[in-house]
Amino acid sequence: MQRYFLNDKPENDEKVTIAGEDFHHLKRVMRAKEGDHVSVVFPNGASARVELEDISDDRALAFIVEWLHDEKELPVAVTIASGLPKGDKLELVIQKGTELGASKFVPFHADRSIVKWDEKKAAKKTERWAKIAKEAAEQSQRNRVPEVHVPVDFQQLIQIGQEYPFKLYAFEEESKKGEKTAFHRLLNEMQPSDEVLIVFGPEGGISEKEAEELKSSGFIPCGLGPRILRTETAPLYALSAISYHFELMR
């Protein structure tokens, strides 16, 4: 079933309204008709199967057929901080990262970021990223849409890190040294409901200066295997490993 994220709670625990872009998708793309069933997710993460009973020009009314018990979220909350990369690489990270269970994305201006961020286009760009996350969350049948933060500078990233009990940064130099235990050790220390922030550099990776500041601020450096991963590949590798550790091995 197609899934839609709603902004409001159900009326009297049984009636829901689908409007806006979701309604346009429902009517124009899915060509839904009265009697069809779709799934909806409410702000608290609860989901339900609903039956469409009235489709007008600007909204669809539906009633809840059954509540679904289909928790799809990772047991731990993972925030991906990506140094702003070139082109549409960040869009790929957000889309696939959402499918893999990330809870938040924080783009940041890194020493080796080549792309020049246009503040005038910031709101529009962030809105596009948020839409990509929402569509990926619907496609992957998640219970929550990841938050996409507006790009921050490096010092703001350090401050954000103070909110997390677990924080790592993927550092190419660690991989070259053969470091292979930090990531695994941290996963073993974490418990369900814990939060972790993982920092990834742009093309060219994290600079030595940034690495030193991250380490002095409590971030743990880690390698991600013997191969050097692209800036858009590394976050997906980490999320896959976390999913394997917490969802398939338990």
Side-chain angles (χ1 to χ4, degrees):
M1 289 185 292
Q2 179 63 37
R3 175 164 289 209
Y4 297 100
F5 288 86
L6 306 183
N7 295 322
D8 301 311
K9 297 185 296 184
E11 300 174 16
N12 300 320
D13 292 330
E14 59 180 24
K15 296 284 187 178
V16 299
T17 300
I18 302 174
E21 291 187 4
D22 288 336
F23 172 72
H24 178 272
H25 183 273
L26 181 74
K27 185 174 182 179
R28 304 299 180 189
V29 180
M30 301 301 296
R31 298 187 180 280
K33 56 185 183 297
E34 293 169 1
D36 286 351
H37 288 196
V38 298
S39 66
V40 297
V41 183
F42 299 101
N44 64 357
S47 60
R49 180 166 63 91
V50 302
E51 181 175 319
L52 304 174
E53 64 174 353
D54 181 28
I55 300 176
S56 65
D57 292 334
D58 60 355
R59 53 98 180 103
L61 296 179
F63 62 88
I64 294 175
V65 175
E66 65 172 332
W67 289 96
L68 303 175
H69 303 286
D70 59 350
E71 178 60 46
K72 303 291 180 64
E73 299 304 298
L74 275 176
V76 296
V78 184
T79 296
I80 299 295
S82 294
L84 284 168
K86 296 184 295 183
D88 59 0
K89 293 177 182 178
L90 185 58
E91 294 183 2
L92 176 67
V93 170
I94 291 172
Q95 181 189 60
K96 301 307 179 185
T98 296
E99 293 178 27
L100 289 167
S103 63
K104 185 184 295 185
F105 298 94
V106 181
F108 70 95
H109 302 273
D111 286 344
R112 293 174 178 166
S113 289
I114 299 174
V115 63
K116 300 300 181 183
W117 180 253
D118 188 343
E119 292 294 342
K120 296 180 180 178
K121 299 179 181 180
K124 187 174 182 180
K125 192 72 171 180
T126 305
E127 182 180 341
R128 173 172 170 75
W129 291 336
K131 184 177 180 181
I132 290 172
K134 180 176 181 292
E135 291 175 350
E138 291 170 345
Q139 182 276 322
S140 56
Q141 298 286 295
R142 286 189 56 174
N143 295 83
R144 296 189 182 279
V145 179
E147 176 186 348
V148 182
H149 205 290
V150 296
V152 299
D153 62 34
F154 188 71
Q155 292 306 316
Q156 289 174 310
L157 176 64
I158 294 293
Q159 290 300 314
I160 290 173
Q162 303 311 308
E163 304 170 8
Y164 289 80
F166 298 95
K167 40 187 178 282
L168 292 164
Y169 64 98
F171 193 36
E172 182 177 319
E173 297 305 315
E174 293 296 312
S175 294
K176 290 179 180 178
K177 295 175 185 176
E179 195 289 313
K180 58 180 66 174
T181 63
F183 188 30
H184 179 263
R185 186 170 62 252
L186 180 136
L187 294 184
N188 283 331
E189 291 176 4
M190 293 180 65
Q191 299 297 321
S193 79
D194 278 338
E195 299 181 33
V196 59
L197 169 63
I198 312 178
V199 180
F200 301 89
E203 299 87 351
I206 292 171
S207 70
E208 291 285 352
K209 177 184 175 183
E210 289 171 329
E212 290 177 7
E213 190 159 356
L214 285 167
K215 191 170 185 178
S216 66
S217 299
F219 288 75
I220 299 171
C222 71
L224 297 178
R227 292 164 295 280
I228 302 304
L229 305 178
R230 290 178 178 268
T231 182
E232 69 271 30
T233 307
L236 308 184
Y237 173 97
L239 284 164
S240 298
I242 292 170
S243 173
Y244 178 77
H245 181 87
F246 283 99
E247 296 180 312
L248 298 186
M249 289 191 66
R250 298 192 177 189

